[in-house]
Amino acid sequence: MRKHIQNIIVFIFSLSVFNGFSQKKSGDTITTGVIDVVKPYTPTISDAFKVKEVPSLNDEITQAKKEIKYNIFSFPVASTFTPAKGKAATVDKAKPIKLFDNYATLGVGTYTTILGEVYLNHAISRTESVGGYVSHHSSGGGIEGLTYDDDFLDSKANVNYASRLRDVSWNVEGGVGYQRYNWYGVPESQIAVSQSNNIQVDHSFFDAHLGGDITFEDTYINSASLLFRRFGDNQGSAENRFKFTGKVDVPINDYEISTDVIFDYLSGGFDTDYNAIGELNYGNFQLGISPTYQLIEDDLTLNLGVSLFYMKDNEANDSKIYLYPNVTATYRLANDVLIAYGGLQGDLIQNSYHGFANENPFVSPTLFITPTNQLYNAYVGLKGKITTNVSYNISGRYLSDRSKALFRNNEITQTSQDFSYGNSFGIVYDDVKTLGLAGEVNVDVNRNFKLNLKAETFKYAVENESEAWNLPDFKASLFLDYQINEKWFAGANLMFVGERKDQFFLSATTPTTVTLDSYFDANAHVGYHVTEQLSIFAKANNIANEGYQKWQNFPVQSAQFLAGATYKFDF
C-alpha cells in the first residue's frame, strides 16, 4: 500500500516538473512526423502464480515421531444375553360409549302416576333420517281435602323427516297432542252451590301441528321456518295459527345487512264470553322486518338495527305500525374472563290460547286475546369464565310492556258454566314496568358433574290494576346432574318461587287481594346402568311434602315417588 502511495506522489511531482518546463519552452514549435503501424495491438493478461510457502520451524529441538506398531488379537466370548425387541408403550383408553338411536322409558308411581316415552330414529341414508316419539304422563289424582277430581293426562305424538345435503339442510315434522285437566279449585264457600248445580270440572285440550325449517349454506338466504297449529278444547273453542320466519343477508355496497322477516297469522274464538252473553272471537296478522348491521372492532361486537311491524286486528278492523329499537353489544374486557354486554330491544308479542293454556291449564275458555306491545327491554350484564369449568352471568333489566297479559282468578258468577265458581282464571291486560336483577353460575366438570344455580328478583309497577297479578317477586333454581361412576348416576332439581298476588272472593261480589305464599319444590332422581342398554331409575318429587298452591285454590300433589326403567336399542 505504501509503495502505491509513493508511486502516485512521484507521478504527480514529475507531471508538475514537466508542466513547468513546458511553460518555459512555450515558444517551441511542434515537429511533425509519420508513425507506421505494423500490426494491431493485442493486449494479453499474464498468468497469476500463488506463492507457496512452507513455514519454517525455529524450535531449537526438533524430535522425530516415533513409529508405533500394534497387533489385534481376536477371540470369541460366550454370552447368553438376548436383547428383546423394543415396542411402543400402550396407553390405557376408556371404552367408547355405545350410542343408540332409540329408547323406551316406562315408570309408575304414587297417585297412580304413569310415565312413558318412546323415541325412534332411523337413518335412511347418509343424508336422510326419519324419526318420531310418543310420550304419556298421567296421574289418577288423590290430593287430600278436595271435593272434585284432580287427575290429569298429557299425551303427545310426533314424526319428523330430515335431509342434510352439502348446501342445504331441511326438516319437516308434524304431531298431535291431547291434554286433560280439571277445574278442581272450588273455594269452600262455593262447594255446596257447585255440587247442587252438578258442575263438570273436566277440561280437555286438542292440538295438531305441521311445520318445517330449511337452512342454506353460502347464500344470501340463510334460513326459513314455518308452522301451522290447530288448537282447541272440549268447550267449543278453536284457534288457528300460521307463522313464517326467514333470515336473509341483504348486500348494500360493501356491507351485508342481516334481516329477519316474520309473518304471523292468528284466528280463534270461544263459544261464549265469561258472562255468557255471546261468542268471543279474536284474530290478527303481523308482518315484521328487522334489519341489523354488525360491527366488529377488536373486542367489541355491536349490532345496530330496528324492528318494524305492521299489525291488523281482523275483529276491530284496525291497523297499526310499531317501531322498536334492536341494538345489542358485547365487549371483552378480559378475554373470556370478563365480558360486558347490553342491549335495547322491543317486540310485538303474539299472545294465543295455546300459549296461555300451556302456562296455566286452569284458564277458562272465555279469554280476550290481544298482542302485547313491549316498548323496550333494556338490559346490561357481565358474564365470563372464572375457570375452564365455572362460568357466571350477572344482569339487570328494565322492561316496559303495554297490554301485558296477567292471570287473575275469575269472578264468582255461579252461572251454568262449570268454571264460574272461582275455580278458573281469566286474562286481564295492563301497562306494566318491570325491574329485574339476575345472577347465574354454571359448573361443568368433565361432563360428569353439572351444576346450574340461578336467582332472579323482580319489582313491578302497574298502571290500572291494583297488583301485578300472579307475578312472583323472586325466583331461584338449582339443577344438578352427577355421573357417579360408570354404573351409577344421580340428579336433583330445586326450585323456589316467591310470593304472588291474586284476588279472592269472600262472596260472589266481594273481591279482596290475597298473597299466595312462597313455595319450595325439591326433586331428585337416582339411576343404575344394568347393561349398556338397560337402566333403572327412581324419582322423588316435592320431597318437602308441601301441598303448596302454584295457582290460587289449586294445591299440588304432595311427596311423590316413581320408579321405572329405560331400554336403549337400534334397529
Side-chain angles (χ1 to χ4, degrees):
M1 180 69 182
R2 295 176 57 189
K3 186 176 180 180
H4 291 321
I5 295 174
Q6 291 175 356
N7 292 336
I8 293 172
I9 295 174
V10 171
F11 174 77
I12 296 173
F13 179 76
S14 300
L15 183 62
S16 62
V17 173
F18 177 78
N19 186 38
F21 283 115
S22 298
Q23 291 177 357
K24 290 180 180 181
K25 296 180 180 181
S26 59
D28 297 344
T29 59
I30 300 175
T31 59
T32 61
V34 177
I35 299 175
D36 295 329
V37 178
V38 179
K39 64 177 181 178
Y41 174 70
T42 304
T44 59
I45 299 174
S46 62
D47 296 333
F49 298 95
K50 181 179 180 181
V51 178
K52 297 180 180 180
E53 295 182 355
V54 178
S56 60
L57 300 176
N58 296 325
D59 296 342
E60 296 179 356
I61 300 175
T62 302
Q63 295 180 351
K65 294 182 180 180
K66 292 183 179 181
E67 184 179 357
I68 300 176
K69 295 182 179 181
Y70 57 89
N71 295 321
I72 298 175
F73 299 95
S74 300
F75 58 92
V77 178
S79 176
T80 59
F81 173 73
T82 303
K85 295 182 178 180
K87 61 179 181 180
T90 58
V91 178
D92 294 334
K93 296 181 179 180
K95 183 181 178 181
I97 300 175
K98 171 66 175 177
L99 301 178
F100 296 90
D101 293 332
N102 316 280
Y103 71 87
T105 297
L106 179 63
V108 294
T110 56
Y111 292 96
T112 320
T113 300
I114 299 176
L115 176 67
E117 186 172 301
V118 177
Y119 177 83
L120 305 174
N121 185 70
H122 176 64
I124 302 174
S125 64
R126 294 180 60 184
T127 60
E128 297 176 291
S129 64
V130 62
Y133 71 86
V134 177
S135 66
H136 173 85
H137 185 202
S138 64
S139 174
I143 300 175
E144 295 183 1
L146 294 182
T147 303
Y148 293 97
D149 293 337
D150 60 296
D151 60 295
F152 69 86
L153 180 150
D154 185 0
S155 297
K156 299 176 183 178
N158 180 282
V159 293
N160 65 81
Y161 170 83
S163 175
R164 296 171 296 278
L165 302 178
R166 180 178 180 180
D167 298 325
V168 60
S169 300
W170 59 279
N171 173 74
V172 60
E173 60 96 17
V176 294
Y178 174 72
Q179 296 173 304
R180 187 182 73 241
Y181 297 92
N182 291 279
W183 291 302
Y184 62 84
V186 179
E188 291 186 5
S189 61
Q190 302 300 313
I191 290 179
V193 178
S194 62
Q195 286 180 328
S196 64
N197 291 335
N198 193 26
I199 66 172
Q200 303 298 316
V201 296
D202 63 295
H203 191 197
S204 301
F205 301 103
F206 312 96
D207 173 32
H209 69 275
L210 178 65
D213 59 79
I214 187 169
T215 302
F216 300 94
E217 298 290 339
D218 300 327
T219 64
Y220 289 118
I221 302 176
N222 294 327
S223 61
S225 66
L226 58 87
L227 172 69
F228 173 76
R229 184 185 301 277
R230 171 74 175 185
F231 184 74
D233 63 12
N234 63 344
Q235 303 293 318
S237 310
E239 179 181 82
N240 296 316
R241 185 177 185 182
F242 177 82
K243 185 177 182 180
F244 170 84
T245 60
K247 188 178 183 66
V248 298
D249 290 332
V250 180
I252 299 178
N253 295 331
D254 295 332
Y255 303 99
E256 286 188 359
I257 307 299
S258 178
T259 305
D260 293 327
V261 179
I262 182 172
F263 176 80
D264 198 344
Y265 172 83
L266 180 71
S267 176
F270 303 99
D271 276 357
T272 181
D273 60 9
Y274 191 74
N275 296 317
I277 297 177
E279 292 184 358
L280 182 61
N281 298 317
Y282 60 92
N284 67 78
F285 75 85
Q286 303 174 7
L287 180 62
I289 183 171
S290 180
T292 303
Y293 172 69
Q294 185 177 77
L295 174 64
I296 300 177
E297 187 69 28
D298 296 332
D299 294 325
L300 174 66
T301 300
L302 180 63
N303 296 306
L304 302 173
V306 295
S307 297
L308 179 65
F309 282 87
Y310 168 80
M311 188 197 78
K312 181 178 180 180
D313 189 328
N314 296 328
E315 294 299 320
N317 196 24
D318 185 26
S319 300
K320 290 184 179 180
I321 294 178
Y322 301 87
L323 182 64
Y324 304 103
N326 186 19
V327 179
T328 62
T330 60
Y331 184 75
R332 295 181 178 271
L333 298 172
N335 294 327
D336 291 336
V337 177
L338 185 61
I339 302 174
Y341 67 92
L344 179 63
Q345 298 175 295
D347 195 10
L348 185 61
I349 302 172
Q350 183 75 285
N351 296 314
S352 66
Y353 185 35
H354 173 263
F356 289 146
N358 276 271
E359 186 176 355
N360 183 353
F362 308 114
V363 292
S364 62
T366 58
L367 306 180
F368 175 69
I369 296 177
T370 188
T372 295
N373 177 14
Q374 187 173 92
L375 296 178
Y376 56 83
N377 176 9
Y379 60 91
V380 293
L382 293 173
K383 62 181 180 179
K385 289 185 176 181
I386 302 174
T387 66
T388 56
N389 300 321
V390 181
S391 62
Y392 67 93
N393 189 356
I394 303 173
S395 64
R397 63 181 62 242
Y398 186 71
L399 299 86
S400 179
D401 295 316
R402 287 185 179 177
S403 299
K404 182 178 178 62
L406 303 172
F407 292 102
R408 191 183 68 181
N409 194 236
N410 275 325
E411 300 175 0
I412 298 175
T413 58
Q414 297 178 349
T415 64
S416 59
Q417 300 178 122
D418 299 324
F419 45 81
S420 61
Y421 297 83
N423 59 334
S424 65
F425 291 83
I427 294 291
V428 294
Y429 296 89
D430 198 2
D431 297 343
V432 182
K433 293 182 179 179
T434 306
L435 175 64
L437 300 175
E440 182 177 6
V441 175
N442 286 282
V443 180
D444 189 349
V445 181
N446 297 328
R447 298 183 180 179
N448 291 328
F449 180 84
K450 295 181 179 180
L451 174 68
N452 174 267
L453 179 63
K454 186 176 183 180
E456 296 176 278
T457 181
F458 307 95
K459 187 175 181 60
Y460 309 99
V462 294
E463 185 72 19
N464 300 312
E465 297 292 326
S466 58
E467 298 288 347
W469 307 115
N470 282 291
L471 295 180
D473 59 359
F474 182 79
K475 291 195 302 183
S477 62
L478 183 147
F479 297 93
L480 172 66
D481 189 11
Y482 181 39
Q483 185 70 39
I484 302 173
N485 55 38
E486 186 178 352
K487 293 290 187 179
W488 288 93
F489 61 93
N493 175 11
L494 311 179
M495 179 175 57
F496 178 83
V497 177
E499 295 179 344
R500 291 94 58 222
K501 302 290 186 179
D502 201 351
Q503 80 175 7
F504 175 72
F505 286 85
L506 298 175
S507 64
T509 59
T510 308
T512 185
T513 299
V514 297
T515 300
L516 299 179
D517 293 336
S518 59
Y519 63 87
F520 174 73
D521 196 338
N523 311 287
H525 69 271
V526 63
Y528 179 77
H529 296 297
V530 180
T531 66
E532 64 178 7
Q533 291 183 265
L534 179 63
S535 302
I536 57 176
F537 61 87
K539 294 183 178 181
N541 296 330
N542 197 5
I543 299 175
N545 198 31
E546 293 185 1
Y548 60 83
Q549 294 185 15
K550 181 178 180 181
W551 304 102
Q552 185 187 184
N553 300 327
F554 288 84
V556 302
Q557 296 176 352
S558 299
Q560 309 143 47
F561 301 96
L562 181 142
T566 298
Y567 182 74
K568 296 176 285 188
F569 58 95
D570 286 331
F571 289 119

